[in-house]
Amino acid sequence: MNFASDNAYGVDPRIMDAILAANTGPVASYGGDSWTQETVLSLRDVFGCPLTAYLVPSGTAANALALSTMVPAHGAVLCHENAHILVDECGATTQFSGGAAMIGVASPAAKLTPQALKEQLKRFQRGHHDPKPAALSLTQASELGTVYTPDELIALSSIARENGMYVHMDGARFANALAHLRCTPADISWKAGVDVLCFGATKNGAMAAEAIVFFNEQLADDFDRQLLRGGQSLSKGRFLGAQMSAYLKDGLWLENALRANGMAARLAEGLSSVKGVRLPLPVEANLVFPFVSETLHAHLQKQGAIYHPWPPHGLGVPPAQTGERLIRLVTSFQTSKTDVDHFVETAKALPA
Amino acid sequence: MNFASDNAYGVDPRIMDAILAANTGPVASYGGDSWTQETVLSLRDVFGCPLTAYLVPSGTAANALALSTMVPAHGAVLCHENAHILVDECGATTQFSGGAAMIGVASPAAKLTPQALKEQLKRFQRGHHDPKPAALSLTQASELGTVYTPDELIALSSIARENGMYVHMDGARFANALAHLRCTPADISWKAGVDVLCFGATKNGAMAAEAIVFFNEQLADDFDRQLLRGGQSLSKGRFLGAQMSAYLKDGLWLENALRANGMAARLAEGLSSVKGVRLPLPVEANLVFPFVSETLHAHLQKQGAIYHPWPPHGLGVPPAQTGERLIRLVTSFQTSKTDVDHFVETAKALPA
Amino acid sequence: MNFASDNAYGVDPRIMDAILAANTGPVASYGGDSWTQETVLSLRDVFGCPLTAYLVPSGTAANALALSTMVPAHGAVLCHENAHILVDECGATTQFSGGAAMIGVASPAAKLTPQALKEQLKRFQRGHHDPKPAALSLTQASELGTVYTPDELIALSSIARENGMYVHMDGARFANALAHLRCTPADISWKAGVDVLCFGATKNGAMAAEAIVFFNEQLADDFDRQLLRGGQSLSKGRFLGAQMSAYLKDGLWLENALRANGMAARLAEGLSSVKGVRLPLPVEANLVFPFVSETLHAHLQKQGAIYHPWPPHGLGVPPAQTGERLIRLVTSFQTSKTDVDHFVETAKALPA
Amino acid sequence: MNFASDNAYGVDPRIMDAILAANTGPVASYGGDSWTQETVLSLRDVFGCPLTAYLVPSGTAANALALSTMVPAHGAVLCHENAHILVDECGATTQFSGGAAMIGVASPAAKLTPQALKEQLKRFQRGHHDPKPAALSLTQASELGTVYTPDELIALSSIARENGMYVHMDGARFANALAHLRCTPADISWKAGVDVLCFGATKNGAMAAEAIVFFNEQLADDFDRQLLRGGQSLSKGRFLGAQMSAYLKDGLWLENALRANGMAARLAEGLSSVKGVRLPLPVEANLVFPFVSETLHAHLQKQGAIYHPWPPHGLGVPPAQTGERLIRLVTSFQTSKTDVDHFVETAKALPA
């Protein structure tokens, strides 16, 4: 019953096989290998457009490096106040950008709204005393497992564009969003105004591989230097290429996301009939955020369930009531029905 | 006949097996796994002392992060003018340290000498107009494949200590140095005054794994934040732990280094009798730097030999003579005798 | 009727005389002059304790440099959400610290409360995913012209100390706070737990001079390098020394602050009986923040009054009502009774 | 007999008068005043072209901020190995640029040559392992008091342009260079390919005022934010404007430079016939660099002469001979004939 994180799980066997298969004789280092090159072609195919892409081992660095191409040191990144880049990466974007300000915006369910974004932009009224709003960062699926529709993305990116800002997407769970929306990858990326997408694979079956996908190819100028300098240009780059090309092959990425999302839906469905549980948010990707009673929480922990209590502040969820707390349950491509059902049964079995 | 780099080669099968074996059920993320914990214990055993260690995928980041714990933004790192951190990492140390100056010192054969270091330190005479010399960085084995003896290291680290500087060692080829010296790991690290060692595994058989080893444990204060912020804290950290623990197990690391060094010695021996070849440097690790005639260079390239011509400037080698150039030949744990002998034979076969 | 800012005014004649008097023959550069040395002695006398001090031309840089001695790149500065360092300096502290996070805390009247500070500290619960809370910055007098009492400061600095944080004070209007409190300078600085005070003179009669006063002298280690590197070490430093020593001499600084505060009190008193004006905040220093009706605002502007409308967000003041707006009126050491009375009369004369 | 530095001297009385005259009633802050606006018009007149200009108190910051508009964090500044920005500013350019590399190039007499610049550029051959050469910085007059002719500047800036680099000029002694060349200001700035000039006034009679002059106005985009964030946007900006407009008025700047240069020429002439003195460099601006015997040095010091011994390394001057050392003598707009002649007489009076 491990629902701590999608990164608590290991590597999809098909991706591991690809890693093994890439362990052949000597090849060119630093991304000059054929696996990496094949990956770029696959990404162009998946997104149906020209693009430039780089592979890195870290999602944190992917976001920070992508944003550093958009935001000067005297600029600001606007994002949701729950955004991973703001609350979970210990200032990585500020470091990689040379000092950019991170500005969190409040709105419900971890999804920015056009209204909230416009209100925030109105606050930039002190001229050069304020940093320059330079990039909008959207997380798809969001940190609360909610998903932006194509129209929602277009509405937000249009405001960004009108205000001279670039649009970044933190797609650590891009596959999960797509599995929910059943649109094309293009619909929620470049067609929706995204300049650079951090396309995650690690949470969904890879070992450590993320693609930084530049739809706006001008932003990729000199990016190889930024990668190297940022410690993200791996010498044996073939193993990043092997992971990502296997991830993209034959729809493995969507298959895994569908499975993880399905387990989250099953979990939510099961919990909906458990006493002492409230589900304040729609379950659209692979994250479930129930309020549970303190009693139930203690019971679940005692029975060996693994998950994280979630911070009660700034979540855009209705506040906890007395005697309950919010917890986060994450499903992955390897989460089993058995585990899900066992968790629900355990919850139901709480002695009255 | 690939002598381009030790990182052109793949992963040692025993390390790959360990990666596979670690691909089990869910475990704690970000280094909370048992493989990572076991690695720290193994490192303590190998070095015979208390230490704090962290695992990262990038050697560039390992060096930059390690140095950032020693050097303030207004400080300077002193290193050899051929040091990888100065000439090959596009300013990573400057970035991760928030702006430290990198000062290259000239001396023969890519090894700093006490005399050269003292001369450089005398140049810090403008008070606060100069950055503060804060760290000495030594590469073991050096970028030219030469190796510092324990006594040489002690002489240098003593000068650093007297001048209030910390000592960093870039040990991307630490195993190769040790295989040459046949002393203990402690002799060329903490016993020789090293505060932090970047202990490389990638070049010598791992996929992407380096340990940042803090013998001076106070420098590791808050280092987990710096790792995360620097994009080097991998979520599925177990695979770093699996690589490094396998690397350390049963002396695999030394076995591989001995093999690579042996191939370099064989290559140097073979080349020593080839017409048009001069070997200006001792061959102590897994790097061979011959001067070859332009004719021979063209011939080797035509026959499919893969290697890098080496920059002629600042190398601490005697200058090239007319009609010849310096090349770098790197052997690895997977370089075969066949390849070595084929290269030598090819060189010998140059038509007069 | 210029109430735009205290820095809209020029230089106190006694300070200008000191500048003239310092324009003698050649002297040592970069603060090696006698005026600067005398200033440090005067500051020790004023504060009644050992201290290290440096003079700089910019208040923004003073704050940023002072904080950079306390906060690592992976650290955070906690301050009020209206703090000048957060909303008015375009990220200077982030730049000078190499990337520190700036975290604004909400509480009434621009003064942090122990409760609000404690609540914020509780939110640091993600371990190394969060930056390290490293410094508390307090503005005395605050950006809304309110003043911390010694006890209030002690309560806040105690919390900081318990949480391993240093305490910085932005004292751009320190003199105005002191003139209100009528305690000793020590009472609201080192005796109240302040480690470093940015002691402003520019707003209160100098041309461009601020002292960075280290009560915690260890934090001043290598500070001369940081000053130079930060572009704040002026070559003809004698003119900074001349300004600051004249400012401190014979209580000029307090005399000016008393005068400015007196004009603000007079202005507030006058406005309190004007129709369409509300004063939501106590007037303790030299700032007055009335809500005025839009009609009155238009009238005042038409009559030539100069002041800034103030942002309505996050101010810790009750929200504006329909048809009114908040404005900021600043008095200075040179504001005349005539101007104050003329402003009040103008406001009163608004045709019904 | 103070020849320590041009900044050991005070303020030209005509500039001090302008400061006094600007000390009137309230005016707009942060450069919104009429003196600053007049200065920009004067600069356009002096240089005979459109330009954008900003005034700052620090020459170090002027250089660092100007370069930060040209060089990304992953870029490099190329300059002479004796350049003030490299050896005297404790890494300011690295800080303000977010981490740019500073690369010093050796050539005689502190003047870069096309040959030396081309050789350095050839060393950028490791692709993304090297930083991107992004700006060429030239000091006019140089740190050794030598002066680039318009043709020399054009030759260098052409190479920069061909290699995609911008051109920065550190003009802390621009007036002294112009006084030597007797060409137009345009001839050695924008007509010679300079993108941004840091036009110094402090060393030549101002209190603390430098203009950052953007001939390439696109580089000034968002510069007001960088100024503020860098702590160089003074609130009482009128006093910067007053200094600079007085400096430019009626040729005061050139008059002062001619005087300082004349004193240097007189000093050099006088010293040329002194026993134990060698002048290894042409004296073109206001700096004289004699080799003096240790005996003479001791004698001069004893007689109260004030000057700095100069570092013997990397100077592009012939090496010192046994028993002599290089010293730097600086003349200023206020250096008197009496002082110069007294120094020469003192030197001549050394007992045999």
Side-chain angles (χ1 to χ4, degrees):
Chain A
M1 292 197 292
N2 191 314
F3 300 95
S5 176
D6 18 22
N7 59 38
Y9 285 83
V11 178
D12 187 284
R14 291 163 289 181
I15 293 176
M16 193 61 98
D17 285 347
I19 290 173
L20 281 170
N23 196 23
T24 60
V27 303
S29 312
Y30 292 110
D33 62 275
S34 58
W35 294 269
T36 299
Q37 286 159 18
E38 185 193 327
T39 296
V40 176
L41 298 179
S42 295
L43 285 166
R44 286 183 190 145
D45 199 44
V46 162
F47 287 98
C49 67
L51 57 80
T52 302
Y54 296 86
L55 302 180
V56 299
S58 155
T60 293
N63 286 327
L65 282 164
L67 283 162
S68 77
T69 67
M70 304 175 171
V71 184
H74 58 273
V77 175
L78 273 65
C79 60
H80 193 275
E81 64 172 350
N82 293 131
H84 198 268
I85 59 167
L86 176 57
V87 302
D88 261 319
E89 300 184 347
C90 200
T93 296
T94 297
Q95 170 167 321
F96 281 85
S97 66
M102 305 295 291
I103 296 178
V105 181
S107 55
K111 282 169 64 180
L112 279 175
T113 60
Q115 178 65 14
L117 178 57
K118 282 181 191 165
E119 285 301 315
Q120 186 65 46
L121 284 166
K122 279 188 199 156
R123 297 177 70 158
F124 287 83
Q125 58 190 233
R126 296 177 189 232
H128 67 297
H129 294 265
D130 283 327
K132 178 191 176 73
L136 171 66
S137 177
L138 302 169
T139 313
Q140 175 80 316
S142 85
E143 289 75 9
L144 289 179
T146 51
V147 174
Y148 290 98
T149 65
D151 283 350
E152 287 172 338
L153 293 172
I154 287 167
L156 291 163
S157 70
S158 299
I159 297 169
R161 206 67 71 205
E162 285 156 19
N163 285 274
M165 301 164 74
Y166 292 107
V167 179
H168 163 257
M169 181 171 278
D170 175 352
R173 295 190 181 96
F174 187 86
N176 303 93
L178 200 67
H180 170 70
L181 292 168
R182 297 177 188 252
C183 59
T184 70
D187 288 337
I188 54 169
S189 56
W190 62 276
K191 285 189 178 170
V194 174
D195 292 291
V196 186
L197 166 67
C198 293
F199 178 80
T202 308
K203 287 184 194 293
N204 195 32
M207 183 184 290
E210 314 279 309
I212 306 175
V213 182
F214 289 89
F215 301 114
N216 182 337
E217 297 186 74
Q218 290 185 320
L219 290 172
D221 191 39
D222 264 332
F223 194 66
D224 48 356
R225 282 193 169 95
Q226 294 174 59
L227 268 190
L228 186 76
R229 172 182 182 80
Q232 292 293 317
S233 187
L234 293 190
S235 57
K236 297 186 178 176
R238 66 167 103 174
F239 296 106
L240 294 175
Q243 288 178 71
M244 191 58 80
S245 58
Y247 182 66
L248 293 171
K249 196 174 173 191
D250 300 333
L252 185 156
W253 63 299
L254 280 170
E255 179 188 329
N256 277 3
L258 279 164
R259 178 169 178 80
N261 286 10
M263 288 300 116
R266 186 181 185 94
L267 185 57
E269 164 96 26
L271 289 174
S272 65
S273 61
V274 177
K275 204 184 142 192
V277 172
R278 288 197 300 135
L279 289 163
L281 291 163
V283 175
E284 298 176 344
N286 64 324
L287 304 174
V288 183
F289 285 87
F291 282 115
V292 297
S293 67
E294 291 291 352
T295 323
L296 179 53
H297 173 58
H299 171 68
L300 289 165
Q301 300 264 306
K302 194 172 163 191
Q303 298 300 316
I306 301 175
Y307 54 81
H308 291 297
W310 213 241
H313 49 260
L315 275 172
V317 289
Q321 294 167 10
T322 309
E324 70 178 16
R325 69 162 69 202
L326 191 68
I327 63 171
R328 186 185 77 161
L329 305 173
V330 190
T331 57
S332 89
F333 69 103
Q334 285 186 330
T335 301
S336 66
K337 280 189 194 175
T338 311
D339 256 16
V340 168
D341 295 347
H342 182 32
F343 185 88
V344 172
E345 291 312 312
T346 304
K348 284 186 176 161
L350 174 66
Chain B
M1 291 197 295
N2 191 314
F3 301 95
S5 176
D6 17 23
N7 59 38
Y9 286 82
V11 179
D12 187 285
R14 290 162 291 181
I15 293 176
M16 193 61 96
D17 284 347
I19 290 174
L20 281 170
N23 196 23
T24 59
V27 303
S29 313
Y30 292 110
D33 61 276
S34 58
W35 295 268
T36 300
Q37 287 158 19
E38 185 192 326
T39 296
V40 176
L41 298 178
S42 296
L43 285 166
R44 287 184 189 144
D45 199 47
V46 163
F47 287 97
C49 67
L51 57 81
T52 302
Y54 295 86
L55 302 180
V56 299
S58 155
T60 293
N63 286 327
L65 282 164
L67 284 161
S68 77
T69 68
M70 304 176 171
V71 184
H74 56 273
V77 175
L78 273 68
C79 60
H80 193 275
E81 65 172 350
N82 293 131
H84 197 268
I85 59 167
L86 177 57
V87 301
D88 261 318
E89 299 184 350
C90 200
T93 296
T94 297
Q95 170 167 319
F96 282 85
S97 66
M102 306 294 291
I103 296 178
V105 180
S107 55
K111 283 169 64 180
L112 278 175
T113 61
Q115 177 66 15
L117 178 58
K118 282 181 191 166
E119 285 301 316
Q120 186 64 45
L121 284 166
K122 278 188 200 157
R123 298 177 68 158
F124 287 83
Q125 58 190 232
R126 296 178 190 231
H128 67 295
H129 295 265
D130 283 327
K132 178 190 174 74
L136 172 66
S137 178
L138 301 170
T139 313
Q140 175 80 318
S142 84
E143 289 76 7
L144 289 179
T146 50
V147 174
Y148 290 98
T149 64
D151 284 350
E152 286 171 339
L153 293 172
I154 287 167
L156 290 164
S157 70
S158 300
I159 297 169
R161 206 66 74 207
E162 286 157 18
N163 286 274
M165 301 165 73
Y166 292 107
V167 179
H168 163 257
M169 181 172 278
D170 175 353
R173 294 191 182 95
F174 187 86
N176 302 93
L178 200 67
H180 170 70
L181 293 168
R182 298 176 186 252
C183 59
T184 71
D187 288 337
I188 53 170
S189 56
W190 63 275
K191 285 189 178 170
V194 173
D195 292 290
V196 186
L197 165 67
C198 292
F199 178 79
T202 308
K203 288 184 193 294
N204 194 31
M207 184 185 289
E210 314 280 310
I212 307 175
V213 182
F214 290 88
F215 302 113
N216 182 336
E217 297 185 74
Q218 291 185 321
L219 290 172
D221 191 39
D222 265 331
F223 194 66
D224 49 355
R225 283 194 168 95
Q226 295 174 58
L227 268 190
L228 186 76
R229 172 183 183 80
Q232 292 294 316
S233 187
L234 293 192
S235 57
K236 297 187 178 175
R238 65 167 103 176
F239 297 105
L240 293 174
Q243 289 178 70
M244 190 59 81
S245 57
Y247 182 67
L248 293 171
K249 197 174 171 190
D250 299 334
L252 186 156
W253 63 298
L254 280 171
E255 179 188 329
N256 278 2
L258 280 164
R259 178 170 178 81
N261 287 9
M263 288 300 118
R266 186 182 185 94
L267 185 56
E269 163 98 25
L271 288 175
S272 66
S273 61
V274 176
K275 202 185 145 194
V277 173
R278 288 197 301 136
L279 288 164
L281 292 162
V283 175
E284 299 175 343
N286 63 323
L287 305 175
V288 183
F289 284 87
F291 282 114
V292 297
S293 67
E294 292 290 353
T295 322
L296 179 53
H297 173 57
H299 171 68
L300 289 165
Q301 299 265 306
K302 196 171 163 191
Q303 299 300 316
I306 301 176
Y307 55 79
H308 291 296
W310 213 242
H313 48 261
L315 275 172
V317 288
Q321 294 167 8
T322 308
E324 70 178 14
R325 69 162 67 202
L326 191 67
I327 65 172
R328 186 185 77 160
L329 304 173
V330 190
T331 57
S332 90
F333 69 104
Q334 286 185 329
T335 300
S336 65
K337 280 188 193 177
T338 312
D339 257 16
V340 167
D341 294 348
H342 182 33
F343 184 88
V344 172
E345 291 312 312
T346 303
K348 284 185 175 162
L350 172 66
Chain C
M1 291 197 295
N2 192 314
F3 300 95
S5 176
D6 19 21
N7 59 38
Y9 286 83
V11 179
D12 187 286
R14 289 162 291 181
I15 294 176
M16 193 62 97
D17 284 348
I19 290 174
L20 281 170
N23 196 23
T24 60
V27 303
S29 312
Y30 293 110
D33 62 276
S34 58
W35 294 268
T36 299
Q37 287 159 19
E38 186 192 327
T39 296
V40 175
L41 298 179
S42 295
L43 285 166
R44 286 182 190 147
D45 198 45
V46 163
F47 287 97
C49 67
L51 57 81
T52 302
Y54 296 86
L55 302 180
V56 299
S58 155
T60 293
N63 285 328
L65 283 163
L67 284 161
S68 77
T69 67
M70 303 175 171
V71 184
H74 58 274
V77 176
L78 272 67
C79 60
H80 193 276
E81 65 172 350
N82 294 130
H84 197 268
I85 59 167
L86 177 56
V87 301
D88 261 318
E89 300 184 349
C90 200
T93 296
T94 297
Q95 170 167 321
F96 281 85
S97 65
M102 305 294 291
I103 296 179
V105 181
S107 56
K111 283 169 64 180
L112 279 175
T113 60
Q115 178 65 14
L117 178 57
K118 282 180 191 165
E119 285 301 315
Q120 185 66 44
L121 285 165
K122 279 187 200 157
R123 298 177 68 157
F124 286 83
Q125 58 191 231
R126 297 178 189 231
H128 67 297
H129 294 266
D130 283 328
K132 178 190 174 74
L136 172 66
S137 178
L138 302 170
T139 313
Q140 175 80 317
S142 85
E143 288 76 7
L144 288 179
T146 50
V147 174
Y148 290 99
T149 65
D151 283 351
E152 287 172 339
L153 293 172
I154 287 167
L156 290 163
S157 70
S158 301
I159 298 168
R161 207 65 72 205
E162 285 156 18
N163 285 275
M165 300 165 73
Y166 292 107
V167 180
H168 164 257
M169 181 171 278
D170 175 353
R173 294 190 182 96
F174 187 85
N176 302 92
L178 200 67
H180 171 69
L181 293 167
R182 297 177 187 253
C183 60
T184 70
D187 288 338
I188 53 169
S189 56
W190 62 277
K191 285 189 179 171
V194 173
D195 292 291
V196 186
L197 166 68
C198 293
F199 177 78
T202 307
K203 287 184 193 295
N204 195 31
M207 184 185 288
E210 314 280 308
I212 306 175
V213 182
F214 289 88
F215 301 114
N216 182 336
E217 297 185 74
Q218 290 184 321
L219 290 172
D221 191 39
D222 265 331
F223 194 66
D224 49 355
R225 283 194 167 94
Q226 295 173 59
L227 268 190
L228 186 76
R229 172 182 183 80
Q232 292 294 316
S233 186
L234 293 192
S235 57
K236 297 186 176 174
R238 65 166 104 176
F239 296 106
L240 294 175
Q243 289 178 69
M244 190 58 82
S245 59
Y247 182 67
L248 293 171
K249 196 174 172 191
D250 299 333
L252 185 155
W253 63 299
L254 280 170
E255 179 188 330
N256 278 2
L258 280 165
R259 178 170 178 81
N261 286 10
M263 289 299 118
R266 185 182 186 93
L267 184 56
E269 163 97 26
L271 289 174
S272 65
S273 61
V274 176
K275 204 184 141 192
V277 172
R278 287 197 303 136
L279 289 163
L281 291 162
V283 174
E284 298 176 344
N286 63 324
L287 304 174
V288 183
F289 285 86
F291 281 116
V292 297
S293 67
E294 291 291 352
T295 321
L296 179 52
H297 173 56
H299 171 68
L300 289 166
Q301 299 265 307
K302 194 173 164 190
Q303 298 300 317
I306 301 176
Y307 57 80
H308 291 298
W310 213 242
H313 49 262
L315 276 171
V317 289
Q321 294 168 7
T322 308
E324 70 178 15
R325 69 162 68 203
L326 192 68
I327 64 172
R328 186 185 75 160
L329 304 173
V330 191
T331 57
S332 90
F333 69 103
Q334 285 186 330
T335 300
S336 66
K337 280 189 193 174
T338 311
D339 256 15
V340 168
D341 295 348
H342 182 33
F343 185 88
V344 173
E345 291 311 313
T346 304
K348 284 185 175 162
L350 174 65
Chain D
M1 291 196 295
N2 191 314
F3 300 95
S5 175
D6 18 22
N7 58 38
Y9 285 83
V11 179
D12 187 286
R14 290 163 291 182
I15 293 176
M16 194 61 98
D17 285 347
I19 290 174
L20 281 170
N23 196 23
T24 59
V27 303
S29 312
Y30 292 111
D33 61 275
S34 59
W35 295 269
T36 300
Q37 287 159 19
E38 185 192 327
T39 297
V40 176
L41 298 179
S42 296
L43 285 166
R44 287 183 190 145
D45 199 46
V46 162
F47 286 97
C49 67
L51 58 80
T52 302
Y54 295 86
L55 302 180
V56 299
S58 154
T60 293
N63 285 327
L65 283 164
L67 284 162
S68 77
T69 68
M70 303 176 172
V71 184
H74 57 275
V77 176
L78 273 68
C79 60
H80 193 275
E81 66 172 349
N82 294 131
H84 197 267
I85 59 168
L86 176 57
V87 301
D88 261 318
E89 300 184 348
C90 199
T93 295
T94 297
Q95 170 167 319
F96 282 85
S97 66
M102 305 295 291
I103 297 178
V105 181
S107 55
K111 284 169 64 181
L112 279 175
T113 60
Q115 177 65 13
L117 178 57
K118 282 181 190 166
E119 285 301 316
Q120 186 64 45
L121 285 166
K122 278 188 200 157
R123 297 177 70 157
F124 286 83
Q125 58 190 231
R126 296 178 190 232
H128 67 296
H129 294 265
D130 283 327
K132 178 191 174 73
L136 171 66
S137 178
L138 302 170
T139 313
Q140 175 79 317
S142 85
E143 289 76 8
L144 288 179
T146 50
V147 174
Y148 290 99
T149 65
D151 283 350
E152 286 172 338
L153 293 172
I154 287 167
L156 290 163
S157 70
S158 300
I159 297 168
R161 206 68 71 205
E162 285 157 19
N163 286 275
M165 300 164 74
Y166 291 107
V167 179
H168 164 257
M169 181 171 279
D170 175 353
R173 295 191 181 96
F174 187 86
N176 302 93
L178 200 68
H180 170 70
L181 293 168
R182 297 176 187 250
C183 59
T184 71
D187 288 338
I188 53 171
S189 57
W190 62 275
K191 285 190 178 170
V194 173
D195 291 290
V196 186
L197 166 67
C198 292
F199 178 79
T202 308
K203 287 184 193 294
N204 194 32
M207 183 185 289
E210 314 280 308
I212 307 175
V213 182
F214 289 88
F215 301 114
N216 182 336
E217 296 185 74
Q218 291 186 320
L219 290 172
D221 191 38
D222 265 330
F223 195 66
D224 48 355
R225 282 193 169 94
Q226 294 174 59
L227 268 190
L228 185 76
R229 172 182 183 81
Q232 292 294 317
S233 187
L234 294 191
S235 57
K236 297 186 178 176
R238 66 167 103 175
F239 296 106
L240 294 174
Q243 288 178 70
M244 190 58 82
S245 57
Y247 182 67
L248 293 171
K249 196 174 172 190
D250 300 334
L252 186 156
W253 64 299
L254 280 170
E255 180 189 329
N256 278 3
L258 280 164
R259 178 169 178 82
N261 286 10
M263 288 301 117
R266 186 181 185 95
L267 185 56
E269 164 96 27
L271 289 174
S272 65
S273 61
V274 176
K275 203 184 145 194
V277 173
R278 287 198 301 136
L279 289 164
L281 291 162
V283 175
E284 298 175 345
N286 63 323
L287 304 174
V288 183
F289 284 87
F291 281 115
V292 298
S293 66
E294 291 291 353
T295 321
L296 180 52
H297 173 58
H299 171 69
L300 289 166
Q301 300 265 306
K302 194 172 165 190
Q303 298 299 317
I306 301 176
Y307 55 81
H308 291 297
W310 213 241
H313 49 261
L315 275 171
V317 289
Q321 293 168 10
T322 307
E324 69 179 14
R325 69 163 66 203
L326 191 67
I327 65 172
R328 186 186 77 160
L329 305 172
V330 190
T331 57
S332 89
F333 68 103
Q334 286 186 329
T335 300
S336 65
K337 281 188 192 176
T338 311
D339 256 16
V340 168
D341 295 348
H342 182 33
F343 185 89
V344 172
E345 291 312 312
T346 304
K348 283 185 175 163
L350 174 66

